[in-house]
Amino acid sequence: MVDLGAITLEWGTMLTQLIVFLILLLAVRKLAMGPIVAMMEKRRQHIANEISSAERNRQEAEALLAEQRRVLDEARQETKTILDRAAKQANDEAARIIAEAQETATRLKNEASAEITREVEKAKAELRDQMAGLSVLLASKIIEKELDEAAQKETVDKFLAQVGDRL
Amino acid sequence: MHHFSPRVEWMGLVFDIPTIIMMVVTSLIVLLVAVLMSRKLTAGVPGGGQNALEWVVDFVTGISNNFMEPKKAAKFVTLGLTLFLYIFLGNQLGLVLNVNTAHTEVSEDFFKMLTVSGTPEQVEEKAHQVHEELANAGHGEHHGVVVAWWKSPTATASVTFTLALMVLLYAHYLGIKKSPGGWFKGTFLNPIHILEDFVIKPLTLPLRLFGNIFAGEVLLAFLLSVGVFGSVPLFVWLGYSVFVGSIQAYIFVTLTMVYISQKVNDDH
């Protein structure tokens, strides 16, 4: 034993302290630290599980979102195609109808002018026929009246006035 | 006023009875606290006791992580936790209770227990002190031979030296186990290191703790003995002692981790 007044070192006390502390250390390790370490390991695993499951869910959600986006894009594309086709069809139809109308109008116009030309020709021919008949009639009348100049002049004027009226 | 401590000599070894009682009491309280707090542990949301325990474990882990890689530090958390709880609770125990017995008559066996010491001269001196106290019993402040049965175990040098030497030897053991050559080079090649490892550390580590707690208890005993005038300073000093006890436990555990890390870390 070392005795320096307040500071005393007794081998017995020291040995006892060593043994008591080692027993305490073992007891704490077995009774407290064991369960704590086990619990912390369990918590660590729990958290790791939660994180990995969250990660999995996130990936799943992302895949679903991409799928949804793809489907939506497809639908949009399809709608656009259908609308374009419909517009093109309507345009074609309109153009076709206009062309048809134009054609019909041209045909009717041509037919009408042909008809008019034909009628004019017919009228001219008729007039020519009548002129021939009238010429013959005139000749016979002149002959009948024996070439009276005054009468003839009157007759020719009359005739010409008649022709003028006819034409 | 002088406090006596009865000692027993057995097989050439001296045992300080009040100190041994207090170290056992402290150990039991540490164990009780640790076991009570670690009951009903859950990996989910922790309750009150578990919160406190986890805080202490995190605290000690934080100290050891400061000086070592977390993987190495994890091995010393139990040691640090036990040391911290033992020293912290031991420091506070001396503040909560005061069990003194005053003896005006001393039997022959008890007289022997009071005067156990290192050398015959010291035994003689102690015997003289006991006789003096017995003679003055009943006069003023003298109540006879006063034995303090309740005190901080850490207010005894034997306790702090044991804890400190245990830690230092453990650190050396770890150093030798890791690499005997490296340990030899790191310890003996530099005279400063020899001085540090075999004189400075073994003296400063235990004496710092012992000095703080012992001085605190001496002042407490003095303030208790002066009566009414001591009451206000007594409460101030009690509060300060709680603070000192906590800081000293923290310092002891921190230095333990520093000394261990010096022996187990790769870079010296």
Side-chain angles (χ1 to χ4, degrees):
Chain A
M1 169 173 175
V2 180
D3 196 339
L4 304 167
I7 302 175
T8 57
L9 296 179
E10 307 104 4
W11 304 121
T13 312
M14 293 179 80
L15 193 66
T16 315
Q17 171 63 79
L18 183 65
I19 293 165
V20 165
F21 188 80
L22 291 180
I23 291 172
L24 178 66
L25 194 63
L26 288 178
V28 167
R29 168 165 288 163
K30 195 165 165 49
L31 295 178
M33 277 314 271
I36 292 169
V37 169
M39 179 273 295
M40 280 181 164
E41 178 62 18
K42 210 168 127 195
R43 179 182 294 165
R44 199 188 60 72
Q45 273 178 359
H46 178 72
I47 290 170
N49 281 346
E50 290 290 298
I51 288 173
S52 66
S53 100
E55 178 68 16
R56 216 166 37 237
N57 286 347
R58 195 181 61 77
Q59 277 172 353
E60 227 162 71
E62 253 169 28
L64 276 177
L65 187 65
E67 171 77 16
Q68 294 292 329
R69 215 170 256 157
R70 197 181 56 74
V71 169
L72 195 62
D73 276 356
E74 244 167 42
R76 212 172 266 149
Q77 198 65 40
E78 212 166 303
T79 315
K80 197 167 171 291
T81 317
I82 289 170
L83 280 177
D84 282 357
R85 207 161 52 209
K88 197 165 163 289
Q89 235 166 20
N91 278 345
D92 285 359
E93 186 77 357
R96 196 179 58 76
I97 288 168
I98 288 169
E100 217 173 66
Q102 258 167 358
E103 195 194 332
T104 309
T106 314
R107 191 167 47 82
L108 285 177
K109 207 175 86 181
N110 286 347
E111 269 173 16
S113 1
E115 181 81 1
I116 289 166
T117 313
R118 214 163 41 239
E119 286 296 319
V120 168
E121 287 302 321
K122 211 167 116 187
K124 274 184 180 168
E126 216 170 280
L127 185 62
R128 224 175 298 136
D129 284 354
Q130 275 184 359
M131 284 243 316
L134 281 174
S135 300
V136 173
L137 192 67
L138 184 63
S140 59
K141 287 231 170 129
I142 292 170
I143 295 165
E144 274 172 17
K145 287 193 172 178
E146 290 171 306
L147 294 171
D148 180 356
E149 203 168 346
Q152 191 181 355
K153 196 181 178 296
E154 193 187 341
T155 308
V156 168
D157 284 347
K158 221 165 110 186
F159 173 70
L160 281 174
Q162 263 178 350
V163 171
D165 284 349
R166 281 269 187 97
L167 280 174
Chain B
M1 191 159 83
H2 188 84
H3 285 176
F4 290 87
S5 202
R7 297 182 171 88
V8 200
E9 201 165 354
W10 181 66
M11 286 174 63
L13 301 171
V14 179
F15 296 84
D16 185 333
I17 293 167
T19 304
I20 288 174
I21 292 173
M22 285 315 295
M23 68 176 70
V24 171
V25 168
T26 308
S27 298
L28 287 178
I29 291 175
V30 169
L31 198 58
L32 195 72
V33 166
V35 169
L36 280 184
M37 287 198 303
S38 62
R39 278 175 73 195
K40 290 191 278 174
L41 286 177
T42 166
V45 181
Q50 187 180 348
N51 267 331
L53 185 65
E54 280 185 32
W55 184 85
V56 178
V57 172
D58 274 352
F59 176 70
V60 175
T61 308
I63 295 174
S64 50
N65 281 354
N66 280 341
F67 308 108
M68 286 170 270
E69 306 159 26
K71 222 177 156 185
K72 271 183 193 167
K75 290 184 212 160
F76 308 114
V77 169
T78 309
L79 174 68
L81 179 79
T82 314
L83 264 180
F84 181 77
L85 287 178
Y86 184 77
I87 295 171
F88 174 75
L89 291 172
N91 291 347
Q92 313 301 346
L93 271 187
L95 308 174
V96 298
L97 212 61
N98 208 10
V99 182
N100 289 348
T101 53
H103 305 264
T104 48
E105 277 175 31
V106 174
S107 69
E108 203 177 316
D109 286 343
F110 197 53
F111 183 79
K112 242 186 217 162
M113 286 167 81
L114 292 176
T115 55
V116 169
S117 193
T119 60
E121 291 82 38
Q122 283 171 330
V123 172
E124 202 58 39
E125 198 189 318
K126 276 199 175 169
H128 179 68
Q129 278 178 346
V130 173
H131 283 305
E132 208 169 82
E133 293 283 355
L134 286 174
N136 290 334
H139 299 294
E141 292 296 319
H142 294 277
H143 305 289
V145 179
V146 178
V147 177
W149 295 95
W150 187 276
K151 56 185 181 179
S152 291
T154 41
T156 306
S158 298
V159 168
T160 61
F161 268 90
T162 310
L163 295 176
L165 294 179
M166 178 190 76
V167 161
L168 290 170
L169 286 176
Y170 180 56
H172 278 293
Y173 161 75
L174 290 169
I176 295 170
K177 203 177 90 172
K178 180 169 164 273
S179 140
W183 171 79
F184 185 84
K185 264 190 250 168
T187 309
F188 291 105
L189 287 197
N190 189 337
I192 297 288
H193 283 168
I194 299 177
L195 198 68
E196 194 186 318
D197 270 328
F198 298 104
V199 180
I200 296 173
K201 283 181 191 172
L203 284 180
T204 55
L205 185 57
L207 284 177
R208 181 185 302 107
L209 176 59
F210 164 73
N212 275 282
I213 306 308
F214 179 73
E217 299 221 331
V218 168
L219 192 51
L220 273 184
F222 169 73
L223 290 174
L224 279 172
S225 70
V226 298
V228 180
F229 297 110
S231 57
V232 172
L234 178 70
F235 278 103
V236 174
W237 185 248
L238 269 176
Y240 186 65
S241 293
V242 172
F243 173 69
V244 167
S246 315
I247 289 293
Q248 287 305 319
Y250 170 70
I251 290 174
F252 197 96
V253 173
T254 303
L255 286 175
T256 297
M257 292 306 168
V258 170
Y259 296 160
I260 288 177
S261 72
Q262 285 174 348
K263 299 296 176 197
V264 300
N265 276 355
D266 296 320
D267 47 330
H268 278 287

